[in-house]
Amino acid sequence: MIYTIEAAVHYGTDYYVMGVKAGDGVYYDDGSTEKLQNSSLKNIAELRKAYQK
């Protein structure tokens, strides 16, 4: 998930990487989220490319 947040004086972008495991449902990918959290990625294509590295 990528979403934009608005603070009093600026906008920011947050990233949350979720995964799906067969039989286990959806999980939060903490390691990948941390890695991407302070990046300047702007869309899903950029996020996917960075995630695959």
Side-chain angles (χ1 to χ4, degrees):
M1 292 186 276
I2 299 175
Y3 67 93
T4 301
I5 58 171
E6 181 180 350
V9 293
H10 69 281
Y11 288 94
T13 303
D14 277 345
Y15 308 91
Y16 290 91
V17 179
M18 308 296 285
V20 178
K21 287 185 181 178
D24 290 339
V26 177
Y27 69 94
Y28 171 70
D29 188 339
D30 188 45
S32 294
T33 298
E34 249 184 71
K35 176 180 138 183
L36 300 170
Q37 191 65 275
N38 294 315
S39 66
S40 60
L41 303 171
K42 302 274 190 243
N43 57 48
I44 297 294
E46 290 177 6
L47 180 64
R48 183 180 300 125
K49 189 174 181 179
Y51 181 77
Q52 291 174 343
K53 287 183 181 181

